[in-house]
Amino acid sequence: MAYDETANKFLIAYNNQGDNGFGYLIVGTISGTDVTYGTASVKFEADSIEDLEVGYDASQGKCYVIQCNDSANDVKMETIAISGTTPSTHSTFVVNS
């Protein structure tokens, strides 16, 4: 989970094993003592993700997701922008292939 200071929201990335291992992103909002979530959106292919990590880059004002794919032996990083409760991919970088 990472907190996006620009959007004032947090981003969660997770594998849904009940959905063939698809990777999902979901945005959360904190207001007082209430937490609300947007709709989870599929962002990563099934059966390919071994690990997902998420963080925030303050210099860019964006979250990022690092996905490790053991079967293809590669690592990718995607920058994620948050608008409302919708995460969107800005750029994808192959770190290792």
Side-chain angles (χ1 to χ4, degrees), residues 2-64:
Y3 181 71
D4 184 329
E5 298 170 356
T6 304
N8 200 25
K9 311 222 182 244
F10 59 93
L11 179 70
I12 299 170
Y14 64 95
N15 289 0
N16 185 346
Q17 296 306 316
D19 189 15
N20 296 319
F22 273 96
Y24 283 81
L25 296 176
I26 190 167
V27 175
T29 305
I30 300 172
S31 179
T33 58
D34 295 329
V35 178
T36 56
Y37 296 94
T39 303
S41 58
V42 177
K43 293 291 179 188
F44 309 102
E45 297 176 17
D47 295 329
S48 64
I49 300 166
E50 194 63 30
D51 190 24
L52 282 175
E53 299 293 332
V54 64
Y56 179 74
D57 182 347
S59 69
Q60 297 296 315
K62 291 186 177 83
C63 289
Y64 59 88

Side-chain angles (χ1 to χ4, degrees), residues 4 6 12 15 48 62 69-70 75 82-83 87 93-94 96:
D4 184 329
T6 304
I12 299 170
N15 289 0
S48 64
K62 291 186 177 83
N69 178 340
D70 278 355
V75 177
I82 297 173
S83 177
F93 304 95
V94 176
N96 181 33

